[in-house]
Amino acid sequence: MSSGKVSTDGGQSLGQNPFAQLSGAGLPPAPANAPVPPASSRNAHQAERNRGRVDVRRETGGRGGKTVTVVDGFTGIGLPEKETLAKKMRAACGCGGTVKDGAIEIQGDQRETIARILREAGFRPVMAGG
């Protein structure tokens, strides 16, 4: 190892199982007939129900009089999830749209349809503007 390279062999094992002591900790046994919810629904429903407020507004400025619906104010989600949401919105509205400067723009006045999709995704849409 004098060449200055970092070893990638995985290192040494722990030498002991850190969970070995749990079996003798005096914990009561689990009930045999307790239903276990699937992993996909556990806590996912509660976590997605409060993903924050987003503004849904209608704009016409700078677009030659054409109306677009803009969804803005996302916190904590990245570009891939915005792209997925935009794709759902485009499909539901039957129109075009894009993600530009962190906001989702959908062609036409589609505020009600977009608000429904956002509620299903766990966001709290707030209508802003005319």
Side-chain angles (χ1 to χ4, degrees):
M1 286 289 229
S2 62
S3 65
K5 294 184 179 180
V6 176
S7 172
T8 59
D9 65 357
Q12 301 177 15
S13 67
L14 293 174
Q16 66 180 20
N17 181 354
F19 301 105
Q21 296 297 320
L22 289 179
S23 63
L27 298 173
N33 60 355
V36 178
S40 62
S41 69
R42 265 183 267 158
N43 296 332
H45 186 69
Q46 291 86 5
E48 287 195 47
R49 281 296 116 202
N50 188 13
R51 298 184 65 188
R53 169 192 161 146
V54 293
D55 296 324
V56 180
R57 66 182 182 273
R58 186 180 63 196
E59 288 184 0
T60 57
R63 295 179 169 81
K66 305 272 178 153
T67 302
V68 296
T69 304
V70 180
V71 184
D72 201 4
F74 291 101
T75 55
I77 73 169
L79 185 61
E81 189 171 356
K82 287 179 189 174
E83 293 282 353
T84 304
L85 275 171
K87 186 174 182 179
K88 275 185 185 177
M89 292 174 188
R90 287 192 308 257
C93 297
C95 61
T98 187
V99 177
K100 189 187 294 183
D101 299 327
I104 299 174
E105 297 181 359
I106 302 295
Q107 294 175 350
D109 185 3
Q110 309 286 349
R111 289 179 293 175
E112 293 304 320
T113 307
I114 289 173
R116 178 182 49 81
I117 292 169
L118 289 168
R119 275 192 289 277
E120 290 170 1
F123 293 98
R124 187 168 50 97
V126 175
M127 300 297 177

